[in-house]
Amino acid sequence: MHKFKIGEVLDLLPSHGSSSRRAGECKIVALLPFEGHVVQYKVQAKTETHLRIVSESDLRPTQ
C-alpha cells in the first residue's frame, strides 16, 4: 500500500551508492504496482528534466 499520493511534493533522499541522484524536492507523478516487498513511485525532481523510479524509503515529507 502506498503511503504517498500523486501530486505530493516530498524530499528525495540522496543515493548511498554510485548513482547520480541528488537530494532535493520531487513530485510524485505515478504510483507503481506493488512488487514483492518494495513500494515504488515515479517522481519528477525539481532540478532534473527526467523522471526517476524510487522506493518509498527514499522519500520523506518536506519540512
Side-chain angles (χ1 to χ4, degrees), residues 7-32:
E8 276 191 78
V9 176
L10 303 163
D11 285 330
L12 177 61
L13 302 176
S15 175
H16 297 294
S18 62
S19 173
S20 63
R21 187 181 82 208
R22 297 181 184 166
E25 284 191 349
C26 68
K27 183 177 183 178
I28 303 290
V29 296
L31 308 178
L32 299 179

Side-chain angles (χ1 to χ4, degrees), residues 2-59:
H2 291 84
K3 181 178 177 180
F4 305 115
K5 297 179 180 168
I6 294 174
E8 276 191 78
V9 176
L10 303 163
D11 285 330
L12 177 61
L13 302 176
S15 175
H16 297 294
S18 62
S19 173
S20 63
R21 187 181 82 208
R22 297 181 184 166
E25 284 191 349
C26 68
K27 183 177 183 178
I28 303 290
V29 296
L31 308 178
L32 299 179
F34 183 74
E35 292 185 17
H37 64 282
V38 179
V39 176
Q40 294 183 317
Y41 300 84
K42 192 176 286 188
V43 300
Q44 173 71 58
K46 288 191 173 190
T47 59
E48 299 176 335
T49 58
H50 58 278
L51 299 176
R52 289 190 179 272
I53 294 175
V54 299
S55 298
E56 192 168 85
S57 62
D58 294 327
L59 300 169

